[in-house]
Amino acid sequence: MNRSTTDWLQRALLYAVLGFLALVFLLPIYVMVVNSIKPLEEIRGGNLISLPLSATIEPWLQAWSKAQIGVQPTGLRPYFMNSFLMVIPAVLFSTLIGSLNGYVLTQFKMRGATLMFGALLFSVFIPFQIVLIPMAKLLGELGLAGTVKGLVLVHTVYGIGFGTLFFRNFYTAFPHELVKSARMDGAGFFVLYWRLLLPNSLPIIVVNVIWQFTNIWNDFLFGASFSDFSSYPLTVALNNLVSSSTGVKEYNVHFAGAFIAALPTLVVYVVSGKYFVRGLMAGSVKG
Amino acid sequence: MVGACVYGFIAFTIYLSFTTSTLMPQFELAEEIPYYRLFRLSTFALSAKNLCLFSGLYIGLSLLLGMLMAILIDQKIRGETAFRSIFLYPMALSFIVTGTAWKWILDPSIGFERTVHAMGFPNFVFDWIKDGDMAIYCVVIAAVWQTSGFVMALFLAGLRGVDTEVMNAARVDGAKGWRMYWRIVIPQLGPSFISSFVILAHMAIKSYDLVIALTGGGPGRATWLPSVFVYQYTFTRNEMALGAASAVLMLIAVSIVVIPYVRSELRDKAHP
């Protein structure tokens, strides 16, 4: 064999391996979609990877508006709404507070700023199991136990760590001369923040919003601990739907439900994957 | 406020872990501290053992697969962006979603086993998820699938930062293909290894959603992890002190991994 043949073989092998891996990675989502439009008998009688013989949207309708999750057969729809009612304010608040924190930490010389930042950085890693009991107690005392508002509070508080991390690293690179000269012109604390820093933070705001949205939407632990039938977020409702042991297991409805729960974050990923990756990296490596 | 909700709450839980709390928090210190009781419990021992097994395999396999994918993608291939997006998309999904999908894929009555039967191999058996000894490996499979794309992204960032001059010099010396990676490139990826390890390790310790969605901790208690233990003892078995104690142990485990990392990050910042 001459050189170019071996080269060609190597390339072919490379693409074959990559293609195989890609198939493996896509398989679960393919299985989810294909089986969510099959009638139940077809799943039971056939296999998971074949295309549907007679496609139907019935499982989707079931999952969306008819499946029994709480006391009423409401489907996932109200929980989908709960998740949005929880995510939107929580993302807004944690972004706002995170950016303020980042601003204070970078633009003002304070004693203990490094220590404070270290404490915040560590807080994004803690296992949240450790705060469950006191948080439950606090929510109970505030009268927010089992409500969507309570979940908003919880997610805001624990979203601040990441928010601060993103904004601090971003503002560290912000030209100090600009801030200094603005301050000489007499700009106060909030004016400076509102007029100068915030308008220039668009990229990091996008990163943070996407990151928080994905995290909070996908949360299960807090949802399972602090909500009840009326305030379940979608992940908890889905898990109840799938693991409820009564009656026939309606796999197609489960797959449809799982896909519904995946859809918002998947859309965000497809539309703005670049920012999502930036969030991932900023949350892990360094600033 | 954050300080209070994080560190104040941690202190509260640590205190609870020394009390007689059962259904509600109590402030009386226990005569025999709950940790002794915790260490004697077979359910806790099982959770801890599962965690060791799970995190070892999960971290090892994710690192391996992630690095492999990064190196493959780094070969100036066509469609790089497409491959990258495909390998990374599971990170955008909830563990509950992927747990549900994998639960039925791994279920012998409708999933993989049955599909292989239908393809003409009626004796094929794959029922790990129903088998108490093997179910934990199902959790490993789903978890590796979910996060190895993330490891790939970290390594890819590392690979792009490798000194090209060193690579060229090595090429002139006749280093080729895999040997070049083994000798020259991989040793330069230390930082990627460390960040991946820290991320994966703390995710492994915190793993909860996936286990719940995939196996519900079962069959029996075969796939309990400390996170499941905390939840069960705190909220359903009314043994709050024990739940708190094991949460504290989880925190300690995470701290061992994370604190050196956070410190080195801060030091880098102080002296750029």
Side-chain angles (χ1 to χ4, degrees):
Chain A
M1 272 195 295
N2 61 31
R3 218 191 129 88
S4 68
T5 337
T6 39
D7 271 2
W8 185 86
L9 269 175
Q10 274 184 0
R11 290 309 273 183
L13 186 68
L14 173 69
Y15 282 104
V17 174
L18 277 172
F20 173 73
L21 283 173
L23 277 184
V24 172
F25 271 79
L26 288 173
L27 184 74
I29 206 113
Y30 168 80
V31 166
M32 247 194 277
V33 176
V34 165
N35 291 287
S36 72
I37 51 170
K38 280 182 194 168
L40 196 54
E41 314 81 69
E42 230 183 276
I43 299 183
R44 286 229 203 79
N47 65 53
L48 279 183
I49 50 173
S50 62
L51 287 167
L53 298 171
S54 54
T56 158
I57 57 159
E58 190 52 34
W60 281 73
L61 297 177
Q62 280 278 339
W64 179 245
S65 57
K66 291 190 202 135
Q68 178 106 22
I69 288 158
V71 190
Q72 303 284 323
T74 54
L76 290 171
R77 186 172 47 192
Y79 307 102
F80 195 81
M81 297 307 154
N82 279 348
S83 269
F84 268 109
L85 290 177
M86 165 183 88
V87 165
I88 293 171
V91 168
L92 273 178
F93 294 145
S94 63
T95 304
L96 201 67
I97 301 175
S99 74
L100 265 171
N101 277 349
Y103 166 55
V104 172
L105 279 171
T106 51
Q107 304 303 335
F108 297 90
K109 294 258 177 291
M110 271 191 320
R111 249 185 299 155
T114 316
L115 187 72
M116 260 175 74
F117 180 64
L120 273 172
L121 190 58
F122 181 66
S123 80
V124 309
F125 288 106
I126 61 162
F128 290 125
Q129 280 81 4
I130 193 115
V131 298
L132 288 182
I133 304 168
M135 192 41 122
K137 211 167 145 45
L138 177 73
L139 289 176
E141 261 155 40
L142 293 174
L144 294 174
T147 63
V148 175
K149 274 189 205 137
L151 288 176
V152 170
L153 176 72
V154 175
H155 284 299
T156 304
V157 169
Y158 298 109
I160 289 173
F162 259 118
T164 307
L165 177 66
F166 288 141
F167 282 99
R168 178 200 179 266
N169 290 340
F170 186 78
Y171 290 150
T172 308
F174 196 82
H176 277 266
E177 294 74 36
L178 272 178
V179 179
K180 225 182 248 165
S181 66
R183 215 181 290 165
M184 298 253 246
D185 293 342
F189 177 88
F190 280 104
V191 177
L192 201 65
Y193 168 71
W194 195 249
R195 287 300 219 10
L196 183 64
L197 279 151
L198 213 52
N200 287 304
S201 327
L202 193 63
I204 201 69
I205 291 177
V206 176
V207 168
N208 186 55
V209 165
I210 287 172
W211 178 256
Q212 305 276 7
F213 177 85
T214 310
N215 269 353
I216 299 174
W217 183 274
N218 289 343
D219 162 72
F220 178 74
L221 182 63
F222 287 144
S225 310
F226 302 138
S227 63
D228 57 27
F229 277 130
S230 63
S231 59
Y232 280 160
L234 189 53
T235 47
V236 180
L238 173 66
N239 188 53
N240 282 9
L241 169 71
V242 174
S243 57
S244 71
S245 47
T246 49
V248 193
K249 284 209 161 66
E250 295 178 303
Y251 305 108
N252 48 0
V253 178
H254 298 173
F255 281 123
F259 200 75
I260 291 173
L263 215 49
T265 51
L266 215 49
V267 168
V268 167
Y269 178 71
V270 171
V271 172
S272 53
K274 201 178 76 188
Y275 290 101
F276 178 75
V277 176
R278 264 182 68 180
L280 270 182
M281 306 301 266
S284 56
V285 206
K286 32 92 234 225
Chain B
M1 179 168 97
V2 182
C5 288
V6 175
Y7 294 96
F9 282 8
I10 290 177
F12 187 87
T13 306
I14 294 177
Y15 184 77
L16 279 186
S17 73
F18 287 99
T19 62
T20 53
S21 306
T22 47
L23 175 61
M24 295 301 286
Q26 311 245 314
F27 297 99
E28 239 165 88
L29 288 178
E31 267 175 32
E32 183 200 30
I33 62 170
Y35 290 89
Y36 287 131
R37 215 147 53 87
L38 183 66
F39 290 133
R40 284 202 305 267
L41 275 177
S42 62
T43 40
F44 184 75
L46 175 72
S47 307
K49 192 185 120 224
N50 276 341
L51 178 64
C52 293
L53 190 66
F54 167 73
S55 50
L57 278 172
Y58 162 65
I59 296 172
L61 290 175
S62 298
L63 280 176
L64 217 70
L65 187 61
M67 188 168 73
L68 177 75
M69 293 191 300
I71 291 176
L72 289 177
I73 280 194
D74 200 35
Q75 304 302 311
K76 302 195 172 57
I77 55 161
R78 250 179 268 171
E80 183 192 315
T81 330
F83 279 117
R84 256 195 349 223
S85 318
I86 290 172
F87 294 148
L88 198 54
Y89 87 89
M91 276 304 286
L93 299 180
S94 153
F95 278 116
I96 302 296
V97 170
T98 49
T100 304
W102 281 101
K103 182 191 180 95
W104 299 138
I105 292 173
L106 296 168
D107 190 293
S109 63
I110 65 157
F112 189 53
E113 178 179 304
R114 187 172 172 110
T115 306
V116 176
H117 287 183
M119 288 157 99
F121 302 93
N123 297 320
F124 179 80
V125 178
F126 187 75
D127 57 356
W128 286 5
I129 202 162
K130 299 275 179 212
D131 179 342
D133 293 328
M134 305 302 279
I136 191 80
Y137 299 107
C138 290
V139 185
V140 173
I141 294 175
V144 169
W145 176 82
Q146 181 115 355
T147 52
S148 49
F150 182 25
V151 178
M152 172 207 72
L154 288 172
F155 271 100
L156 213 47
L159 280 172
R160 299 280 145 97
V162 165
D163 195 340
T164 41
E165 278 188 20
V166 181
M167 277 177 88
N168 287 336
R171 206 171 279 138
V172 172
D173 288 345
K176 266 184 60 182
W178 288 107
R179 197 180 297 158
M180 164 123 101
Y181 272 98
W182 194 243
R183 293 255 183 84
I184 313 285
V185 179
I186 292 180
Q188 286 193 49
L189 294 177
S192 307
F193 261 111
I194 293 172
S195 353
S196 308
F197 178 81
V198 171
I199 305 283
L200 291 171
H202 103 276
M203 284 177 78
I205 297 167
K206 293 188 343 192
S207 289
Y208 174 72
D209 316 8
L210 183 63
V211 179
I212 294 302
L214 191 62
T215 64
R221 297 191 198 105
T223 48
W224 270 35
L225 293 179
S227 54
V228 182
F229 181 95
V230 171
Y231 195 88
Q232 287 287 331
Y233 275 77
T234 307
F235 291 115
T236 52
R237 299 198 181 193
N238 303 330
E239 291 268 21
M240 197 172 273
L242 287 177
S246 52
V248 171
L249 293 177
M250 283 174 70
L251 179 71
I252 293 173
V254 168
S255 309
I256 291 172
V257 182
V258 169
I259 285 184
Y261 182 69
V262 169
R263 284 190 57 165
S264 77
E265 287 282 306
L266 290 176
R267 209 172 308 125
D268 289 353
K269 293 268 165 50
H271 312 282

